[in-house]
Amino acid sequence: MRCWLMKSEPDDVSIDSLAARPGQTVPWYGVRNYQARNFMRDAMRVGDGVLFYHSGCAEPGIAGIARVASEPYPDATQFDPASKYFDPKSTPEAPRWLHVDVGFVRKTRLVGLPELRGCPELENMRVLARGNRLSITPVEPAEWRFIVGQLLGATDLQDWT
DNA sequence: GCCAACGTTGGC
DNA sequence: GCCAACGTTGGC
């Protein structure tokens, strides 16, 4: 099983709003980057671990733990002319954008970017690489164990993957 | 609001 | 297939 880091703007979907949703899941709509799409379409499996990251906000960082909760399927917003994620070049017959559902596992303390950057154990973490803009990045098992076990103290989840 | 970095588009 | 222009991300 793999693990991932997925960015969300908390003004849109935060860890709290995920927990409050029906079924505590959310379709990961709005991804319009091929690499990120390919991770969801080709590499994710139901049950994969997710570090839920808040971006574009006052305190960017890891805010909770989630899981991949569905197989990939078409993102409905690409067909909605009223949506800011509307893609006129996509059709229901050949949908361009697929996503998965993400399910709530637990809220954690906020592990901010400066703290993550200060950990030698995480120096090669993809999301911390210079100029990284990918909203979905793979997380190495050792990185997962360190973050979940050492930083979050969630020892019951550190060997999830 | 600024700006570095990067992905995408489209003319050639 | 190249590459300049443009748009977006996301931290600060």
Side-chain angles (χ1 to χ4, degrees):
Chain A
M1 201 159 310
R2 303 193 197 195
C3 27
W4 309 91
L5 181 141
M6 299 176 80
K7 295 180 185 174
S8 179
E9 298 190 9
D11 285 350
D12 189 3
V13 180
S14 68
I15 190 72
D16 287 323
S17 67
L18 173 63
R21 288 178 61 93
Q24 298 191 316
T25 68
V26 65
W28 206 253
Y29 60 83
V31 170
R32 295 295 180 266
N33 170 285
Y34 290 104
Q35 251 183 291
R37 178 205 65 181
N38 292 350
F39 284 140
M40 291 195 284
R41 186 190 63 185
D42 306 329
M44 286 187 180
R45 297 292 179 267
V46 172
D48 281 1
V50 173
L51 300 172
F52 194 102
Y53 182 98
H54 285 175
S55 69
C57 57
E59 262 199 297
I62 295 166
I65 296 175
R67 60 186 285 273
V68 175
S70 81
E71 301 291 324
Y73 64 99
D75 179 344
T77 62
Q78 71 194 301
F79 307 125
D80 177 5
S83 169
K84 69 173 186 174
Y85 300 117
F86 178 61
D87 183 349
K89 293 180 182 168
S90 187
T91 64
E93 294 72 31
R96 181 179 290 194
W97 305 110
L98 305 184
H99 62 195
V100 297
D101 288 346
V102 170
F104 178 79
V105 173
R106 77 179 57 160
K107 183 179 181 176
T108 66
R109 76 176 178 93
L110 191 117
V111 182
L113 245 198
E115 183 175 358
L116 293 172
R117 290 199 186 283
C119 295
E121 294 86 348
L122 303 177
E123 64 181 356
N124 295 320
M125 206 177 172
R126 190 94 172 260
V127 74
L128 303 180
R130 199 176 99 99
N132 171 71
R133 293 190 322 169
L134 260 189
S135 63
I136 300 176
T137 47
V139 174
E140 295 302 318
E143 295 165 348
W144 174 276
R145 279 194 300 277
F146 177 76
I147 292 169
V148 172
Q150 299 295 122
L151 298 185
L152 298 175
T155 47
D156 56 321
L157 293 180
Q158 69 179 345
D159 293 319
W160 184 353
T161 54

Short mmCIF file of all heavy atoms in Angstrom, two decimals, chain A residues 84-150:
data_model
loop_
_atom_site.label_atom_id
_atom_site.label_comp_id
_atom_site.label_asym_id
_atom_site.label_seq_id
_atom_site.Cartn_x
_atom_site.Cartn_y
_atom_site.Cartn_z
N LYS A 84 -15.81 26.64 -11.89
CA LYS A 84 -14.52 27.21 -12.29
C LYS A 84 -13.59 26.11 -12.80
O LYS A 84 -12.54 26.39 -13.36
CB LYS A 84 -13.89 27.98 -11.14
CG LYS A 84 -13.41 27.16 -9.98
CD LYS A 84 -12.65 28.05 -8.99
CE LYS A 84 -12.02 27.26 -7.87
NZ LYS A 84 -11.17 28.10 -7.00
N TYR A 85 -13.99 24.88 -12.59
CA TYR A 85 -13.18 23.76 -13.08
C TYR A 85 -13.69 23.19 -14.40
O TYR A 85 -13.24 22.15 -14.87
CB TYR A 85 -13.13 22.65 -12.02
CG TYR A 85 -12.52 23.09 -10.72
CD1 TYR A 85 -13.26 23.11 -9.54
CD2 TYR A 85 -11.20 23.52 -10.68
CE1 TYR A 85 -12.70 23.52 -8.34
CE2 TYR A 85 -10.62 23.94 -9.49
CZ TYR A 85 -11.38 23.94 -8.33
OH TYR A 85 -10.81 24.35 -7.15
N PHE A 86 -14.66 23.88 -14.99
CA PHE A 86 -15.22 23.45 -16.28
C PHE A 86 -14.12 23.33 -17.33
O PHE A 86 -13.27 24.20 -17.47
CB PHE A 86 -16.26 24.48 -16.74
CG PHE A 86 -16.87 24.17 -18.08
CD1 PHE A 86 -17.58 23.00 -18.29
CD2 PHE A 86 -16.73 25.07 -19.14
CE1 PHE A 86 -18.15 22.71 -19.52
CE2 PHE A 86 -17.29 24.79 -20.39
CZ PHE A 86 -18.00 23.62 -20.57
N ASP A 87 -14.15 22.22 -18.09
CA ASP A 87 -13.19 22.02 -19.18
C ASP A 87 -13.95 21.75 -20.46
O ASP A 87 -14.45 20.64 -20.68
CB ASP A 87 -12.27 20.84 -18.85
CG ASP A 87 -11.20 20.64 -19.93
OD1 ASP A 87 -11.31 21.27 -21.01
OD2 ASP A 87 -10.27 19.85 -19.69
N PRO A 88 -14.04 22.76 -21.34
CA PRO A 88 -14.83 22.62 -22.57
C PRO A 88 -14.29 21.54 -23.51
O PRO A 88 -15.00 21.09 -24.40
CB PRO A 88 -14.75 24.01 -23.21
CG PRO A 88 -13.55 24.66 -22.61
CD PRO A 88 -13.40 24.07 -21.23
N LYS A 89 -13.04 21.16 -23.30
CA LYS A 89 -12.45 20.15 -24.20
C LYS A 89 -12.70 18.73 -23.73
O LYS A 89 -12.29 17.77 -24.39
CB LYS A 89 -10.95 20.39 -24.34
CG LYS A 89 -10.61 21.69 -25.06
CD LYS A 89 -9.11 21.87 -25.16
CE LYS A 89 -8.76 23.19 -25.85
NZ LYS A 89 -7.33 23.50 -25.68
N SER A 90 -13.33 18.58 -22.60
CA SER A 90 -13.61 17.24 -22.08
C SER A 90 -15.05 16.84 -22.38
O SER A 90 -15.94 17.68 -22.40
CB SER A 90 -13.38 17.22 -20.57
OG SER A 90 -13.48 15.89 -20.09
N THR A 91 -15.24 15.56 -22.64
CA THR A 91 -16.60 15.05 -22.90
C THR A 91 -16.87 13.85 -22.01
O THR A 91 -15.93 13.17 -21.59
CB THR A 91 -16.73 14.57 -24.36
OG1 THR A 91 -15.84 13.45 -24.55
CG2 THR A 91 -16.37 15.67 -25.34
N PRO A 92 -18.14 13.59 -21.73
CA PRO A 92 -18.49 12.41 -20.91
C PRO A 92 -18.01 11.12 -21.57
O PRO A 92 -17.70 10.15 -20.87
CB PRO A 92 -20.02 12.46 -20.86
CG PRO A 92 -20.36 13.90 -21.06
CD PRO A 92 -19.31 14.44 -22.00
N GLU A 93 -17.92 11.10 -22.89
CA GLU A 93 -17.46 9.89 -23.59
C GLU A 93 -15.96 9.69 -23.38
O GLU A 93 -15.48 8.56 -23.34
CB GLU A 93 -17.74 9.99 -25.09
CG GLU A 93 -19.21 9.99 -25.45
CD GLU A 93 -19.92 11.30 -25.10
OE1 GLU A 93 -19.25 12.36 -25.12
OE2 GLU A 93 -21.12 11.26 -24.77
N ALA A 94 -15.23 10.79 -23.31
CA ALA A 94 -13.78 10.71 -23.11
C ALA A 94 -13.36 11.73 -22.05
O ALA A 94 -12.74 12.74 -22.35
CB ALA A 94 -13.04 10.97 -24.42
N PRO A 95 -13.73 11.45 -20.81
CA PRO A 95 -13.43 12.42 -19.74
C PRO A 95 -11.93 12.57 -19.55
O PRO A 95 -11.19 11.58 -19.57
CB PRO A 95 -14.09 11.80 -18.50
CG PRO A 95 -14.25 10.36 -18.81
CD PRO A 95 -14.39 10.25 -20.30
N ARG A 96 -11.52 13.80 -19.40
CA ARG A 96 -10.09 14.07 -19.26
C ARG A 96 -9.63 13.96 -17.81
O ARG A 96 -8.49 13.63 -17.54
CB ARG A 96 -9.84 15.49 -19.80
CG ARG A 96 -8.41 15.92 -19.74
CD ARG A 96 -8.26 17.32 -20.31
NE ARG A 96 -8.47 17.36 -21.76
CZ ARG A 96 -8.12 18.43 -22.50
NH1 ARG A 96 -7.57 19.47 -21.94
NH2 ARG A 96 -8.33 18.42 -23.79
N TRP A 97 -10.54 14.29 -16.88
CA TRP A 97 -10.14 14.41 -15.48
C TRP A 97 -10.83 13.37 -14.59
O TRP A 97 -12.04 13.36 -14.48
CB TRP A 97 -10.44 15.83 -14.98
CG TRP A 97 -9.79 16.86 -15.84
CD1 TRP A 97 -10.40 17.72 -16.70
CD2 TRP A 97 -8.38 17.09 -15.97
NE1 TRP A 97 -9.45 18.48 -17.36
CE2 TRP A 97 -8.21 18.12 -16.93
CE3 TRP A 97 -7.25 16.54 -15.38
CZ2 TRP A 97 -6.95 18.60 -17.31
CZ3 TRP A 97 -5.99 17.01 -15.75
CH2 TRP A 97 -5.86 18.02 -16.69
N LEU A 98 -10.01 12.50 -14.01
CA LEU A 98 -10.51 11.50 -13.09
C LEU A 98 -10.01 11.82 -11.68
O LEU A 98 -8.95 12.39 -11.52
CB LEU A 98 -10.01 10.11 -13.48
CG LEU A 98 -10.30 9.65 -14.90
CD1 LEU A 98 -9.82 8.22 -15.10
CD2 LEU A 98 -11.78 9.75 -15.21
N HIS A 99 -10.78 11.43 -10.70
CA HIS A 99 -10.36 11.64 -9.31
C HIS A 99 -10.83 10.48 -8.44
O HIS A 99 -11.55 9.60 -8.90
CB HIS A 99 -10.89 12.97 -8.77
CG HIS A 99 -12.39 13.04 -8.71
ND1 HIS A 99 -13.06 14.22 -8.54
CD2 HIS A 99 -13.33 12.08 -8.80
CE1 HIS A 99 -14.35 13.97 -8.52
NE2 HIS A 99 -14.55 12.69 -8.68
N VAL A 100 -10.37 10.48 -7.19
CA VAL A 100 -10.83 9.49 -6.23
C VAL A 100 -11.58 10.22 -5.11
O VAL A 100 -11.50 11.44 -5.00
CB VAL A 100 -9.66 8.69 -5.60
CG1 VAL A 100 -8.91 7.90 -6.66
CG2 VAL A 100 -8.71 9.62 -4.85
N ASP A 101 -12.30 9.46 -4.30
CA ASP A 101 -12.83 10.01 -3.06
C ASP A 101 -11.77 9.89 -1.98
O ASP A 101 -11.00 8.93 -1.95
CB ASP A 101 -14.07 9.23 -2.61
CG ASP A 101 -15.29 9.50 -3.49
OD1 ASP A 101 -15.27 10.46 -4.27
OD2 ASP A 101 -16.27 8.73 -3.37
N VAL A 102 -11.73 10.89 -1.10
CA VAL A 102 -10.83 10.87 0.04
C VAL A 102 -11.67 10.82 1.32
O VAL A 102 -12.64 11.58 1.44
CB VAL A 102 -9.92 12.12 0.03
CG1 VAL A 102 -9.14 12.24 1.33
CG2 VAL A 102 -8.95 12.04 -1.16
N GLY A 103 -11.32 9.92 2.22
CA GLY A 103 -12.10 9.73 3.44
C GLY A 103 -11.35 10.16 4.69
O GLY A 103 -10.13 9.96 4.81
N PHE A 104 -12.09 10.73 5.62
CA PHE A 104 -11.53 11.19 6.90
C PHE A 104 -11.05 10.02 7.75
O PHE A 104 -11.71 9.00 7.86
CB PHE A 104 -12.61 11.96 7.66
CG PHE A 104 -12.20 12.46 9.01
CD1 PHE A 104 -11.42 13.60 9.13
CD2 PHE A 104 -12.60 11.80 10.16
CE1 PHE A 104 -11.05 14.08 10.39
CE2 PHE A 104 -12.24 12.27 11.42
CZ PHE A 104 -11.47 13.40 11.53
N VAL A 105 -9.87 10.18 8.34
CA VAL A 105 -9.40 9.20 9.33
C VAL A 105 -9.29 9.88 10.69
O VAL A 105 -9.93 9.48 11.64
CB VAL A 105 -8.05 8.58 8.92
CG1 VAL A 105 -7.50 7.71 10.05
CG2 VAL A 105 -8.22 7.74 7.66
N ARG A 106 -8.48 10.93 10.78
CA ARG A 106 -8.46 11.71 12.02
C ARG A 106 -7.83 13.07 11.81
O ARG A 106 -7.05 13.26 10.88
CB ARG A 106 -7.76 10.95 13.15
CG ARG A 106 -6.26 10.94 13.09
CD ARG A 106 -5.68 10.18 14.27
NE ARG A 106 -6.21 8.79 14.30
CZ ARG A 106 -5.61 7.79 14.95
NH1 ARG A 106 -4.52 7.99 15.65
NH2 ARG A 106 -6.12 6.58 14.93
N LYS A 107 -8.21 13.98 12.67
CA LYS A 107 -7.58 15.29 12.70
C LYS A 107 -6.37 15.19 13.60
O LYS A 107 -6.38 14.47 14.59
CB LYS A 107 -8.57 16.33 13.23
CG LYS A 107 -8.02 17.74 13.23
CD LYS A 107 -9.05 18.73 13.76
CE LYS A 107 -8.50 20.15 13.74
NZ LYS A 107 -9.52 21.14 14.17
N THR A 108 -5.29 15.90 13.24
CA THR A 108 -4.08 15.88 14.06
C THR A 108 -3.70 17.31 14.42
O THR A 108 -4.33 18.25 13.94
CB THR A 108 -2.91 15.25 13.29
OG1 THR A 108 -2.57 16.10 12.18
CG2 THR A 108 -3.28 13.87 12.77
N ARG A 109 -2.68 17.46 15.22
CA ARG A 109 -2.14 18.80 15.41
C ARG A 109 -1.60 19.28 14.07
O ARG A 109 -1.33 18.46 13.19
CB ARG A 109 -1.03 18.79 16.46
CG ARG A 109 0.30 18.23 15.96
CD ARG A 109 1.38 18.35 17.04
NE ARG A 109 2.65 17.77 16.60
CZ ARG A 109 3.63 18.49 16.01
NH1 ARG A 109 3.46 19.77 15.79
NH2 ARG A 109 4.75 17.90 15.65
N LEU A 110 -1.47 20.59 13.89
CA LEU A 110 -0.95 21.08 12.64
C LEU A 110 0.58 21.03 12.63
O LEU A 110 1.22 21.63 13.49
CB LEU A 110 -1.42 22.52 12.37
CG LEU A 110 -1.10 22.91 10.93
CD1 LEU A 110 -2.37 23.19 10.16
CD2 LEU A 110 -0.12 24.05 10.86
N VAL A 111 1.12 20.26 11.69
CA VAL A 111 2.57 20.22 11.51
C VAL A 111 2.90 21.17 10.38
O VAL A 111 2.68 20.87 9.20
CB VAL A 111 3.06 18.80 11.19
CG1 VAL A 111 4.58 18.78 11.07
CG2 VAL A 111 2.60 17.81 12.26
N GLY A 112 3.40 22.35 10.73
CA GLY A 112 3.61 23.42 9.75
C GLY A 112 4.80 23.19 8.84
O GLY A 112 5.67 22.38 9.13
N LEU A 113 4.81 23.93 7.75
CA LEU A 113 5.90 23.82 6.78
C LEU A 113 7.28 24.02 7.41
O LEU A 113 8.19 23.22 7.13
CB LEU A 113 5.71 24.88 5.69
CG LEU A 113 5.44 24.44 4.27
CD1 LEU A 113 5.72 25.60 3.33
CD2 LEU A 113 6.30 23.25 3.88
N PRO A 114 7.48 25.05 8.23
CA PRO A 114 8.82 25.24 8.82
C PRO A 114 9.25 24.02 9.62
O PRO A 114 10.43 23.64 9.59
CB PRO A 114 8.64 26.46 9.73
CG PRO A 114 7.45 27.19 9.18
CD PRO A 114 6.56 26.13 8.61
N GLU A 115 8.33 23.40 10.34
CA GLU A 115 8.67 22.20 11.11
C GLU A 115 9.07 21.06 10.19
O GLU A 115 10.05 20.36 10.42
CB GLU A 115 7.49 21.79 12.00
CG GLU A 115 7.83 20.58 12.87
CD GLU A 115 6.72 20.21 13.84
OE1 GLU A 115 5.70 20.92 13.88
OE2 GLU A 115 6.89 19.20 14.55
N LEU A 116 8.31 20.89 9.11
CA LEU A 116 8.64 19.83 8.15
C LEU A 116 10.02 20.07 7.54
O LEU A 116 10.84 19.17 7.43
CB LEU A 116 7.58 19.77 7.05
CG LEU A 116 6.18 19.32 7.47
CD1 LEU A 116 5.19 19.50 6.34
CD2 LEU A 116 6.20 17.85 7.93
N ARG A 117 10.26 21.32 7.16
CA ARG A 117 11.55 21.66 6.55
C ARG A 117 12.70 21.49 7.52
O ARG A 117 13.85 21.31 7.12
CB ARG A 117 11.53 23.10 6.03
CG ARG A 117 10.63 23.29 4.82
CD ARG A 117 10.99 24.57 4.06
NE ARG A 117 10.04 24.85 2.98
CZ ARG A 117 10.04 24.22 1.81
NH1 ARG A 117 10.93 23.27 1.58
NH2 ARG A 117 9.15 24.53 0.90
N GLY A 118 12.42 21.55 8.81
CA GLY A 118 13.47 21.44 9.81
C GLY A 118 13.83 20.01 10.15
O GLY A 118 14.74 19.78 10.94
N CYS A 119 13.16 19.04 9.58
CA CYS A 119 13.42 17.64 9.90
C CYS A 119 14.38 17.02 8.89
O CYS A 119 14.02 16.86 7.72
CB CYS A 119 12.12 16.83 9.90
SG CYS A 119 10.97 17.30 11.18
N PRO A 120 15.58 16.65 9.32
CA PRO A 120 16.54 16.01 8.41
C PRO A 120 15.97 14.74 7.79
O PRO A 120 16.30 14.38 6.67
CB PRO A 120 17.74 15.68 9.31
CG PRO A 120 17.57 16.54 10.52
CD PRO A 120 16.11 16.79 10.68
N GLU A 121 15.10 14.06 8.53
CA GLU A 121 14.49 12.82 8.03
C GLU A 121 13.64 13.07 6.80
O GLU A 121 13.31 12.14 6.06
CB GLU A 121 13.62 12.18 9.12
CG GLU A 121 14.37 11.69 10.34
CD GLU A 121 14.59 12.79 11.38
OE1 GLU A 121 14.35 13.98 11.06
OE2 GLU A 121 15.01 12.47 12.50
N LEU A 122 13.25 14.33 6.59
CA LEU A 122 12.32 14.65 5.50
C LEU A 122 12.98 15.46 4.39
O LEU A 122 12.29 16.03 3.55
CB LEU A 122 11.11 15.41 6.05
CG LEU A 122 10.32 14.70 7.16
CD1 LEU A 122 9.19 15.58 7.66
CD2 LEU A 122 9.78 13.36 6.66
N GLU A 123 14.32 15.53 4.41
CA GLU A 123 14.97 16.45 3.48
C GLU A 123 14.71 16.11 2.01
O GLU A 123 14.80 16.98 1.15
CB GLU A 123 16.47 16.54 3.76
CG GLU A 123 17.21 15.23 3.54
CD GLU A 123 18.69 15.37 3.85
OE1 GLU A 123 19.12 16.50 4.15
OE2 GLU A 123 19.40 14.35 3.81
N ASN A 124 14.37 14.86 1.73
CA ASN A 124 14.11 14.50 0.34
C ASN A 124 12.62 14.39 0.02
O ASN A 124 12.24 13.90 -1.04
CB ASN A 124 14.79 13.17 0.00
CG ASN A 124 16.31 13.29 0.06
OD1 ASN A 124 16.87 14.30 -0.38
ND2 ASN A 124 16.96 12.30 0.63
N MET A 125 11.80 14.84 0.94
CA MET A 125 10.37 14.72 0.73
C MET A 125 9.95 15.53 -0.51
O MET A 125 10.32 16.69 -0.67
CB MET A 125 9.61 15.22 1.96
CG MET A 125 8.24 14.61 2.11
SD MET A 125 7.43 15.17 3.64
CE MET A 125 5.82 14.47 3.34
N ARG A 126 9.14 14.89 -1.33
CA ARG A 126 8.78 15.46 -2.63
C ARG A 126 8.10 16.83 -2.50
O ARG A 126 8.39 17.76 -3.23
CB ARG A 126 7.85 14.46 -3.33
CG ARG A 126 7.55 14.77 -4.76
CD ARG A 126 8.49 14.06 -5.69
NE ARG A 126 8.03 14.26 -7.08
CZ ARG A 126 7.35 13.34 -7.76
NH1 ARG A 126 7.10 12.17 -7.22
NH2 ARG A 126 6.97 13.59 -8.99
N VAL A 127 7.21 16.93 -1.56
CA VAL A 127 6.42 18.16 -1.43
C VAL A 127 7.31 19.33 -0.98
O VAL A 127 6.94 20.50 -1.17
CB VAL A 127 5.25 17.95 -0.46
CG1 VAL A 127 5.72 17.91 0.98
CG2 VAL A 127 4.21 19.05 -0.65
N LEU A 128 8.47 19.02 -0.41
CA LEU A 128 9.36 20.08 0.07
C LEU A 128 10.39 20.48 -0.96
O LEU A 128 11.16 21.40 -0.74
CB LEU A 128 10.07 19.63 1.36
CG LEU A 128 9.17 19.22 2.52
CD1 LEU A 128 10.00 18.80 3.73
CD2 LEU A 128 8.21 20.35 2.91
N ALA A 129 10.40 19.79 -2.10
CA ALA A 129 11.39 20.09 -3.13
C ALA A 129 11.17 21.51 -3.67
O ALA A 129 10.05 22.00 -3.75
CB ALA A 129 11.31 19.07 -4.26
N ARG A 130 12.27 22.14 -4.03
CA ARG A 130 12.24 23.50 -4.54
C ARG A 130 11.30 23.61 -5.73
O ARG A 130 11.38 22.83 -6.68
CB ARG A 130 13.65 23.86 -4.99
CG ARG A 130 13.93 25.32 -5.13
CD ARG A 130 15.39 25.48 -5.50
NE ARG A 130 15.53 25.69 -6.95
CZ ARG A 130 15.68 26.89 -7.47
NH1 ARG A 130 15.72 27.95 -6.70
NH2 ARG A 130 15.80 27.03 -8.77
N GLY A 131 10.43 24.58 -5.68
CA GLY A 131 9.55 24.86 -6.81
C GLY A 131 8.42 23.87 -7.00
O GLY A 131 7.72 23.95 -8.00
N ASN A 132 8.26 22.94 -6.06
CA ASN A 132 7.19 21.97 -6.23
C ASN A 132 5.82 22.65 -6.19
O ASN A 132 5.53 23.45 -5.32
CB ASN A 132 7.23 20.92 -5.12
CG ASN A 132 6.00 20.03 -5.15
OD1 ASN A 132 5.86 19.21 -6.04
ND2 ASN A 132 5.09 20.23 -4.23
N ARG A 133 4.99 22.32 -7.18
CA ARG A 133 3.63 22.86 -7.19
C ARG A 133 2.59 21.76 -7.28
O ARG A 133 1.40 22.04 -7.38
CB ARG A 133 3.45 23.81 -8.37
CG ARG A 133 4.29 25.07 -8.28
CD ARG A 133 3.87 26.03 -9.33
NE ARG A 133 3.56 25.31 -10.57
CZ ARG A 133 2.98 25.86 -11.61
NH1 ARG A 133 2.64 27.12 -11.58
NH2 ARG A 133 2.73 25.16 -12.68
N LEU A 134 3.06 20.52 -7.31
CA LEU A 134 2.11 19.42 -7.44
C LEU A 134 1.22 19.34 -6.21
O LEU A 134 1.70 19.38 -5.09
CB LEU A 134 2.86 18.11 -7.57
CG LEU A 134 3.04 17.50 -8.95
CD1 LEU A 134 3.63 16.10 -8.78
CD2 LEU A 134 1.75 17.46 -9.71
N SER A 135 -0.08 19.20 -6.44
CA SER A 135 -1.01 19.16 -5.32
C SER A 135 -1.14 17.76 -4.74
O SER A 135 -1.70 17.58 -3.67
CB SER A 135 -2.38 19.68 -5.74
OG SER A 135 -2.93 18.83 -6.73
N ILE A 136 -0.62 16.77 -5.46
CA ILE A 136 -0.60 15.40 -4.95
C ILE A 136 0.81 14.86 -5.14
O ILE A 136 1.32 14.86 -6.27
CB ILE A 136 -1.59 14.49 -5.70
CG1 ILE A 136 -3.02 15.03 -5.55
CG2 ILE A 136 -1.50 13.05 -5.19
CD1 ILE A 136 -4.06 14.24 -6.34
N THR A 137 1.44 14.41 -4.06
CA THR A 137 2.79 13.86 -4.19
C THR A 137 2.88 12.55 -3.40
O THR A 137 2.24 12.41 -2.36
CB THR A 137 3.85 14.84 -3.64
OG1 THR A 137 3.43 15.33 -2.37
CG2 THR A 137 4.06 16.02 -4.58
N PRO A 138 3.67 11.61 -3.94
CA PRO A 138 3.88 10.36 -3.20
C PRO A 138 4.70 10.62 -1.94
O PRO A 138 5.53 11.53 -1.92
CB PRO A 138 4.70 9.50 -4.18
CG PRO A 138 4.65 10.20 -5.49
CD PRO A 138 4.38 11.63 -5.22
N VAL A 139 4.46 9.84 -0.92
CA VAL A 139 5.20 9.92 0.33
C VAL A 139 5.90 8.58 0.54
O VAL A 139 5.26 7.53 0.44
CB VAL A 139 4.26 10.21 1.52
CG1 VAL A 139 5.00 10.15 2.85
CG2 VAL A 139 3.57 11.57 1.34
N GLU A 140 7.19 8.62 0.80
CA GLU A 140 7.94 7.39 1.03
C GLU A 140 7.49 6.77 2.36
O GLU A 140 7.18 7.51 3.31
CB GLU A 140 9.44 7.67 1.09
CG GLU A 140 10.02 8.17 -0.24
CD GLU A 140 9.77 7.18 -1.36
OE1 GLU A 140 9.92 5.96 -1.13
OE2 GLU A 140 9.42 7.64 -2.47
N PRO A 141 7.50 5.41 2.43
CA PRO A 141 7.10 4.74 3.68
C PRO A 141 7.88 5.25 4.90
O PRO A 141 7.29 5.42 5.97
CB PRO A 141 7.40 3.27 3.40
CG PRO A 141 7.29 3.14 1.91
CD PRO A 141 7.76 4.45 1.35
N ALA A 142 9.17 5.50 4.74
CA ALA A 142 9.96 5.97 5.88
C ALA A 142 9.51 7.36 6.30
O ALA A 142 9.51 7.70 7.50
CB ALA A 142 11.45 5.99 5.53
N GLU A 143 9.13 8.18 5.31
CA GLU A 143 8.64 9.52 5.62
C GLU A 143 7.30 9.44 6.34
O GLU A 143 7.04 10.17 7.30
CB GLU A 143 8.49 10.34 4.33
CG GLU A 143 9.82 10.62 3.63
CD GLU A 143 9.68 11.10 2.20
OE1 GLU A 143 8.56 11.02 1.64
OE2 GLU A 143 10.67 11.56 1.62
N TRP A 144 6.45 8.56 5.87
CA TRP A 144 5.15 8.34 6.53
C TRP A 144 5.35 7.92 7.99
O TRP A 144 4.74 8.48 8.90
CB TRP A 144 4.35 7.27 5.77
CG TRP A 144 3.07 6.89 6.47
CD1 TRP A 144 2.93 5.98 7.48
CD2 TRP A 144 1.78 7.44 6.23
NE1 TRP A 144 1.61 5.92 7.88
CE2 TRP A 144 0.89 6.81 7.13
CE3 TRP A 144 1.28 8.40 5.35
CZ2 TRP A 144 -0.47 7.10 7.17
CZ3 TRP A 144 -0.08 8.70 5.38
CH2 TRP A 144 -0.94 8.05 6.29
N ARG A 145 6.22 6.93 8.18
CA ARG A 145 6.43 6.43 9.55
C ARG A 145 6.95 7.53 10.46
O ARG A 145 6.53 7.65 11.61
CB ARG A 145 7.40 5.24 9.53
CG ARG A 145 6.75 3.93 9.14
CD ARG A 145 7.66 2.74 9.48
NE ARG A 145 8.93 2.80 8.77
CZ ARG A 145 9.11 2.39 7.52
NH1 ARG A 145 8.09 1.86 6.85
NH2 ARG A 145 10.28 2.48 6.95
N PHE A 146 7.86 8.35 9.93
CA PHE A 146 8.42 9.42 10.74
C PHE A 146 7.35 10.46 11.10
O PHE A 146 7.22 10.86 12.26
CB PHE A 146 9.58 10.09 10.01
CG PHE A 146 10.17 11.25 10.76
CD1 PHE A 146 10.99 11.03 11.86
CD2 PHE A 146 9.87 12.55 10.39
CE1 PHE A 146 11.51 12.11 12.58
CE2 PHE A 146 10.39 13.63 11.10
CZ PHE A 146 11.21 13.40 12.20
N ILE A 147 6.61 10.90 10.09
CA ILE A 147 5.60 11.94 10.33
C ILE A 147 4.50 11.43 11.24
O ILE A 147 4.13 12.07 12.23
CB ILE A 147 5.02 12.44 8.99
CG1 ILE A 147 6.09 13.20 8.21
CG2 ILE A 147 3.80 13.34 9.23
CD1 ILE A 147 5.72 13.50 6.77
N VAL A 148 3.97 10.28 10.91
CA VAL A 148 2.83 9.76 11.66
C VAL A 148 3.27 9.28 13.05
O VAL A 148 2.60 9.56 14.05
CB VAL A 148 2.14 8.63 10.87
CG1 VAL A 148 1.07 7.94 11.72
CG2 VAL A 148 1.52 9.20 9.60
N GLY A 149 4.39 8.59 13.11
CA GLY A 149 4.85 8.04 14.38
C GLY A 149 5.53 9.07 15.27
O GLY A 149 5.12 9.30 16.41
N GLN A 150 6.56 9.74 14.71
CA GLN A 150 7.36 10.65 15.53
C GLN A 150 6.68 12.00 15.74
O GLN A 150 6.60 12.50 16.85
CB GLN A 150 8.73 10.87 14.87
CG GLN A 150 9.56 9.63 14.71
CD GLN A 150 9.96 9.04 16.05
OE1 GLN A 150 9.65 7.88 16.32
NE2 GLN A 150 10.63 9.83 16.89
#
